[in-house]
Amino acid sequence: METARMRLRRFTEADADDLAALHGDPEVMRYIDDPEPRSVITQEILPEILQEYGQLPNGMGRFVAEERESGVFLGWVSLRPASSVGLTGGTELGYRLRHAVWGHGYATEGARALVRRGFTELNLDRVVATTMTVNAGSRRVLEKTGLSLVRTFFVEWPEYLEGAEHGDVEYELTRETWSAQTVPGDRDR
């Protein structure tokens, strides 16, 4: 799948180094968890991503986001059955990009492409996402993608993350709302 500036493709074993660097960056992981060591990436995370391609409907899963022109690894975007703490039902939108490319619109571009795919090709009814309340950057991406704040909720996490006392937020977008806010020609791009 391609967007104006990116190519979204399935992960392969060859992506282990890029994925390990992404998940090992403390700034990237700041609102998620502790940075993950390379061994966890190669023995657990990447095999799980690859296995999901055979378990999920075609067009779902986690996808490498890379620059179309250069092929440079930007991070990943995902569309998967909702599984994050606090979400009940729907299909979950996710993204994780290298710190060096934050603020350039890549997360929004990739998220919009997957939402469009979800509603036009996968016949989804509802796309959901969650992030920490204090994660202003991620919240902006969700809002620019068309998702709306549903609620703030509080979870007792096993290990404290800075800002957890402010809770987490749930966002959603239904196919009906997406169709109403999308110009017909934009649905085809």
Side-chain angles (χ1 to χ4, degrees):
M1 175 178 207
E2 290 190 351
T3 68
R5 300 177 298 156
M6 296 187 305
R7 179 175 297 108
L8 305 180
R9 63 167 176 79
R10 288 182 169 191
F11 274 90
T12 69
E13 293 284 345
D15 296 309
D17 289 340
D18 287 328
L19 188 60
L22 180 70
H23 285 230
D25 183 337
E27 194 62 31
V28 170
M29 300 299 285
R30 179 177 175 193
Y31 297 115
I32 302 165
D33 205 346
D34 290 331
E36 296 170 318
R38 180 177 171 72
S39 61
V40 170
I41 300 304
T42 59
Q43 295 170 18
E44 297 174 30
I45 305 295
L46 186 55
E48 175 186 296
I49 290 171
L50 298 175
Q51 185 177 23
E52 283 182 343
Y53 295 134
Q55 298 170 337
L56 297 174
N58 192 29
M60 291 183 74
R62 284 175 268 193
F63 301 94
V64 169
E66 60 187 15
E67 284 183 340
R68 275 178 59 179
E69 298 300 319
S70 67
V72 168
F73 178 87
L74 302 171
W76 57 257
V77 294
S78 69
L79 197 59
R80 303 163 55 216
S83 63
S84 289
V85 172
L87 296 179
T88 54
T91 302
E92 186 173 359
L93 174 68
Y95 40 84
R96 196 169 298 173
L97 298 179
R98 291 179 30 239
H99 183 249
V101 300
W102 289 0
H104 296 278
Y106 289 117
T108 302
E109 188 173 326
R112 284 178 176 164
L114 288 186
V115 165
R116 183 174 48 255
R117 172 185 271 178
F119 291 134
T120 61
E121 297 175 27
L122 301 174
N123 202 31
L124 300 179
D125 291 322
R126 181 172 162 252
V127 172
V128 297
T130 185
T131 190
M132 289 180 70
T133 299
V134 296
N135 190 346
S138 188
R139 294 181 71 174
R140 273 193 305 278
V141 168
L142 295 173
E143 291 163 3
K144 288 179 181 179
T145 303
L147 282 77
S148 298
L149 178 64
V150 174
R151 67 187 175 108
T152 301
F153 61 96
F154 294 85
V155 175
E156 192 168 316
W157 297 102
E159 292 186 33
Y160 175 78
L161 282 176
E162 185 178 340
E165 66 275 12
H166 300 287
D168 291 84
V169 287
E170 176 183 359
Y171 280 77
E172 78 170 1
L173 178 60
T174 64
R175 181 178 27 209
E176 181 179 341
T177 301
W178 178 82
S179 294
Q181 62 186 210
T182 304
V183 176
D186 288 344
R187 287 190 211 124
D188 300 329
R189 285 189 217 153

